[in-house]
Amino acid sequence: MRKTKWTVFLSLILVLSIFLSACGGGGNNNAGEGGNEGGNAEGGEGKSEQVLNLLESAEIPSMDTTQATDATSFNAMNQIFEGLYRLDENNKPVLGMAADEPKEEEKDGETVYTFTIRDDANWSDGTPVTANDFIFAWKKAMNPDSLSQYASMFGTAGIKNANAIITEGDPLYGKVDELGVKAVDDKTLEITVTQKVPYFKSLLTFATFYPQPKDFVEKQGDKYALETDTMLYNGPFVMSEWNHGDGWTFEKNPEYWDNETVSLEKVTYKIVKDVATGVNLYETGKVDRAGLSADFVDQYKGNEDFVTRLEPTMFFLRLNQKNEALANTNIRKALYLAYDREGLVNVLLNNGSVAAKYFVPKEFAFGPNGKDFREFAPDGFLADKGAEEAKAAWEKGLQEIGKDSVDLEFLTTDTELASKIAEYAKEQFQTKLEGLNVTINKQPWKQFLELETAGDFDISTGGWGPDYPDPMTFLYMFETGADYNRMNYTSEKYDKLVSGAKKETDLEKRWKMMQDAEKVLIEEDFAIVPTYQRGTASLMKPYVKNYFLHPFGADTSLKWVKIEGK
Amino acid sequence: MGRYIGGRVVSMLVTFLIIASLTFFLMKLLPGTPFNNQEKMSESQIQQMNEKYGLNDPVPVQYVTYMTNLFKGDLGVSFQQDGRSVTTIIGERIGPSAYLGFQSLLIGTIFGLLLGIIAALKHNTFLDYGSMIIAVLGISIPSFVIAGMMQYWVGVKWGMLPVAYWEGFEYTIMPTIAIAAAVTATIARFMRTEMLEVLGQDYITTAKAKGLTSTAVVIKHTIRNASIPIITIMGPMVVALMTGTLVIEQIFVIPGLGEKFVSSIMTNDFPIIMGTTLFFSILFIVVILVVDVLYGIVDPRIRLAGGK
C-alpha cells in the first residue's frame, strides 16, 4: 500500500520532468547564434556585419496598410513597403515607386497628376508593381466597409470626391469608383485633385497611400498580412520572421529597385516594454539603440552614445469652458501664465523635451519660403510674462466672476509620468494663484478618454502628434464643434481663419492665416495651455550611421542605414 | 471514485458557466472602446466600428452570441491584433509561461522542502534560523527587485547569463530563480511548521519506541505526514505560476501569457480578456479536482464522498 502512494508521487515528478525537457528542446536553436551577434566583430576593417538590432515597445497591431493606426505598424511598413515617394534624410519626399516627378495638367479648376511607375518596381515574388495595385489599395481604404481610420487622408490630399465618398448621407457615399484616381495602363497612374495642397507629395509617403498587390491580396482573403508568408513586399526589406508578441526580423529585399543603396542585410526587432531591460540589453551589446526614461538620463548624459530628439508631439491642457470660472478669459490667462514649463522639462522630463508656449511644434512644418512655421513667434506667446502677470489676471478674473476661490478638477491618466506631471501642475497653480484649489482625478486610459470625450472635466491633459506635415493637422482640432474640441471652445475669429486657410490657394497668405489662428487660439483666447513639446532620449551605438528619423508618418527609415567600424 | 469524479465534472461545468457569464457582464462595465487609437477616432468612426463588431447590440444579445460561439469553440479574434484568433494568441504564449512556471515550481518545491525539513529537524539551531531568514527574505523581497538586481549584476556586470530574451535554457535561469524564490520561501515555512507539529504527535513517539532508526522515523512518518498539507497550497500555486507573471515576463522579455492578460484588460481587448480568463478558470477548476483526488490517494484518512 505505502509503496503505491510513493509510486504515484514519483511518477508525477517524472511526468513533470518529461514535460519540462520536452519544452526545453524547442527554444534552444537560436541560443548560440544570438550569443555571437551582439559581441565582438571588431578587427574587420570596414567589413562590419550589416546587422542592426532594435527594440520596439509594442507588438505590431496590423500590417494591412488600410488598417494600421499606430506608430509601430507605420514604422515597420516604411521598411518593407513603399509608396510613390518616401521621406529622405531631410524629410523631403524623394521618388519611390514613381519613376519621375509627375506631369501636371490643369483643367476646369482641377489638377491631374500623371505618375509613371518604375519599370523595375517589383513585389518580392517578382511580379511588377502596377498602377492597379495603388488603385486597389486606395479604394479598399476608401470603402466604408473596411472602416479605415485614415481614409480621410485622401481628402486631406485634395483628391477628387474623397471627402464625399466617406461622408454618410452624401450621394457619393461608398461609391469608391468615383475617387479621382485612374490607371491609364499598367505603369501609368492618374490622380485628380480638386485642391492643390502644398504637402501633397509628403502625404504620398504615408502608409495609407502604399500599393497592395491586388491578385495576391484577393487570393489571401482574411489571411492577408497576418503572417510573413501572406504578404508581399515592395520596400527595401522583406519581413522574414514575425513571432507575434516577441519580435520580428527584416532581411534585405533582392527585388527592391534600389537595393544597391541598401546596406543592412538583416534587422531584428524585439518587443521590450521595460526601460531598464532595454538599457541592460544595450550595455551587453544585444541591441544597438535603446530608449531612456528620465531616471536614466542623468546617468547617461555626457556619454558619447547619448542622443536626444525633438518630436513634433505637443502636450497641452484643455480648459473646459463649461466650467463657469474657466469660461472667463482672464482666469484662463492666469493658468496659462502661472505654469512654469522650465521646471517641467528640465527636472521632471529631463529628456530633451522643450517648454512650449505654442501649439504648432518646432522643426516640423516649413513654409513657402522654406522657413520654420515657428519663426514668427519662436518662443511662443507672452513668452516673457510669468507669475506676476498671472496673479494680476487671476485677481481680475475672480472679480469678473464675483468669487474669491475656485475649485477645479484636473483629469489625467494613471501612468507614473502622468501622475507626476499632474502633481507638478497642481503645485504650480495652487502656489501662484491664491484661492485656487485643484483636485487631481487619475483614471485608466480608456476611462480617461470616455470622460474627456463626454466633457466631464475642468482641466484635462492632452497630447497630439501630426498626421501630415502641415500646421493644419494641429489647428483643425479646435474649430467650433470639431471632434477634438472637447472643451467647448468657440471663436468665430479662429474658425474663420482656419476654414479660410483650408481653402486658400495663395501659400503665403495661407501660412499667415494659420499663424494668426494660432495667435488667436493662445494669445487672445487662452483656449488651451500648451505645456511642452516632447523630446526623447536614447542611447545609440556610434557605429550605426544614417539612421534617419522623421517627424510624421513612420518614425524611422532604415533604407540608408550602415554599420561602420563596429 | 469514478462516480465521485463524474459528479465533480458536472459541478465543474456549472462553475465554468458561472465564471464565463460573470466575466462577460463585468467586462461590459469596463469604460471605453476596445479599439486601437481611440484618442484619434471621431464619434462617428467609433459608432461605425461598434456597429461592425456588434458592440451596439444590447448586452443580453451580445451575451447569447458570445456563449453560442463559445460552445462552438470559437473565442473570437483580438481587437488589438488584426484578425488573429484568441486561440492562436493563447496557444503561442502559453508555452513559455508554462515552461517557466513548472521549472520554478519544481526548483522552488525542492529547495523549499529541503529548507523546511532541515529547519524543523534542527529546531532552534542556527540552521533553523538561517533557513527561516532565507524564507522571510524570499517572501518579502518582491520578485521584480530580485529580477532587476540579477539582471544588472549577473547579466550586465558579471556577464554570466544573458540579460533577457527567450532563446534557450540559459535564458530561463534568472527568471526561474526570481519566481522560485517566493515558492521556496512559502513551502519552507509551511513545511517547517507541519514537521514540527508532526514531530510532536503520539505516533512518532510510538515509532521511536518501536525501535525504528531516527532516519526511518523522519522519512517514513514525519516527512510523509507533513507533506499532505503542502498539496493544498501547491494547487493554486501551479495555476498561478503556469499562467505567467507580468513583471517577470516584462523584465526578461518572455513572450508569455501573463503580460498578454494584463495588457488585454488595459486595452479593453474583450475577446482576449474572456479567452484568458476562461483558460485560467479551466486550469484552476481542473487543478482543484486533481488536488482533491490526490488527497484521497495520499492520505487514507480522507474519504472522498461516494468512494468507499
Side-chain angles (χ1 to χ4, degrees), chain A residues 1-2 4-6 8-9 12-13 16-17 19-21 23-24 27-32 34-35 54-55 59-64 67 69-70 144-152 166 168 173 222 226-227 242-246 270-274 276-281 283-284 286-287 299 414 444-447 449-450 453 464-467 473 483-484 486, chain B residues 30-46 48-50 52-53 79-84 88 92-93 95 98-103 105-106 113 148 151-152 155-157 159 161-171 219-221 223-224 227 242 247 250-256 259-260 263 265-268 294 296-300:
Chain A
M1 247 335 252
R2 266 175 217 155
T4 54
K5 285 162 204 159
W6 276 104
V8 170
F9 184 64
L12 262 179
I13 298 233
L16 274 185
S17 45
F19 183 78
L20 284 186
S21 45
C23 284
N28 269 331
N29 310 342
N30 304 327
L54 297 173
L55 303 178
E59 164 67 331
I60 297 176
S62 176
M63 281 309 277
D64 182 336
Q67 295 300 312
T69 56
D70 65 293
D145 290 340
S146 74
L147 298 177
S148 173
Q149 287 184 38
Y150 276 93
S152 59
I166 56 167
E168 248 175 298
Y173 178 66
D222 283 354
L226 294 189
E227 303 294 339
W242 187 2
N243 302 315
H244 299 268
D246 188 33
K270 279 281 193 177
I271 303 167
V272 173
K273 301 193 174 184
D274 189 84
T277 301
V279 172
N280 288 338
L281 285 166
E283 286 286 352
T284 49
K286 283 279 193 182
V287 297
Q299 189 184 333
D414 62 354
W445 177 234
K446 292 278 177 178
Q447 171 71 355
L449 284 177
E450 289 290 293
T453 314
W464 196 257
D467 291 323
T473 189
D483 273 319
Y484 311 105
R486 292 162 183 158
Chain B
L30 282 174
T33 75
F35 311 122
N36 249 321
N37 202 33
Q38 189 190 334
E39 67 274 26
K40 281 208 170 185
M41 286 169 79
S42 67
E43 234 359 78
S44 66
Q45 276 175 327
I46 292 179
Q48 287 176 13
M49 294 284 269
N50 279 339
K52 178 176 177 188
Y53 292 104
F79 279 110
Q80 295 292 321
Q81 285 180 46
D82 229 18
R84 307 194 73 240
T88 317
E92 66 198 8
R93 285 183 175 250
Y99 176 78
L100 194 59
F102 270 117
Q103 187 163 297
L105 191 71
L106 199 67
L113 287 178
Q151 189 177 63
Y152 183 72
V156 180
K157 286 283 152 190
L161 286 170
V163 165
Y165 297 165
W166 188 249
E167 293 173 348
F169 178 70
E170 70 265 39
Y171 292 81
I219 291 175
K220 283 193 177 165
H221 296 282
I223 294 184
R224 221 189 112 198
S227 306
M242 266 194 61
V247 188
Q250 284 207 346
I251 293 179
F252 291 109
V253 196
I254 298 164
E259 194 275 324
K260 191 75 210 167
S263 68
I265 296 174
M266 301 308 290
T267 54
N268 283 3
L294 272 184
I297 295 171
V298 176
D299 188 348

Side-chain angles (χ1 to χ4, degrees), chain A residues 160-358:
Chain A
K160 191 178 173 183
N161 295 337
N163 284 329
I165 295 170
I166 56 167
T167 307
E168 248 175 298
D170 194 286
L172 286 181
Y173 178 66
K175 295 189 175 149
V176 293
D177 289 334
E178 300 297 320
L179 187 67
V181 293
K182 194 169 110 190
V184 178
D185 59 47
D186 266 3
K187 290 287 185 187
T188 313
L189 177 67
E190 264 183 25
I191 305 176
T192 309
V193 300
T194 45
Q195 190 197 354
K196 278 175 89 170
V197 293
Y199 43 86
F200 179 67
K201 286 174 190 170
S202 297
L203 272 182
L204 294 177
T205 68
F206 194 71
T208 320
F209 291 90
Y210 292 170
Q212 286 190 3
K214 182 168 182 275
D215 298 336
F216 183 83
V217 176
E218 283 169 345
K219 209 173 77 195
Q220 295 297 332
D222 283 354
K223 301 270 175 291
Y224 173 68
L226 294 189
E227 303 294 339
T228 54
D229 55 356
T230 62
M231 280 184 261
L232 290 180
Y233 314 93
N234 70 327
F237 300 91
V238 299
M239 192 184 226
S240 56
E241 242 182 279
W242 187 2
N243 302 315
H244 299 268
D246 188 33
W248 54 92
T249 306
F250 297 151
E251 278 172 27
K252 190 172 169 173
N253 181 2
E255 288 287 344
Y256 182 56
W257 65 271
D258 194 18
N259 62 19
E260 278 171 21
T261 306
V262 181
S263 300
L264 290 176
E265 291 294 333
K266 188 171 157 189
V267 185
T268 69
Y269 280 91
K270 279 281 193 177
I271 303 167
V272 173
K273 301 193 174 184
D274 189 84
V275 176
T277 301
V279 172
N280 288 338
L281 285 166
Y282 183 87
E283 286 286 352
T284 49
K286 283 279 193 182
V287 297
D288 300 318
R289 187 181 165 89
L292 296 175
S293 53
D295 34 339
F296 281 103
V297 169
D298 283 329
Q299 189 184 333
Y300 284 100
K301 239 178 197 169
N303 187 310
E304 59 161 340
D305 296 3
F306 181 82
V307 286
T308 58
R309 169 196 179 202
L310 187 61
E311 293 179 13
T313 304
M314 297 300 303
F315 288 84
F316 54 92
L317 305 177
R318 284 186 167 89
L319 305 178
N320 194 348
Q321 302 196 14
K322 218 166 65 181
N323 178 296
E324 187 201 350
L326 293 176
N328 181 290
T329 310
N330 275 312
I331 300 271
R332 295 199 303 273
K333 181 179 180 183
L335 291 171
Y336 175 84
L337 290 172
Y339 197 105
D340 173 13
R341 294 151 177 89
E342 295 300 329
L344 175 75
V345 297
N346 293 336
V347 180
L348 235 166
L349 297 166
N350 192 20
N351 56 4
S353 294
V354 171
K357 283 187 161 180
Y358 52 81

Side-chain angles (χ1 to χ4, degrees), chain A residues 23 154 173 277 314 370 426 488 498-499 507 549 552:
Chain A
C23 284
F154 294 91
Y173 178 66
T277 301
M314 297 300 303
K426 176 179 170 159
N488 301 292
V498 172
S499 59
L507 297 182
L549 295 158
F552 91 107

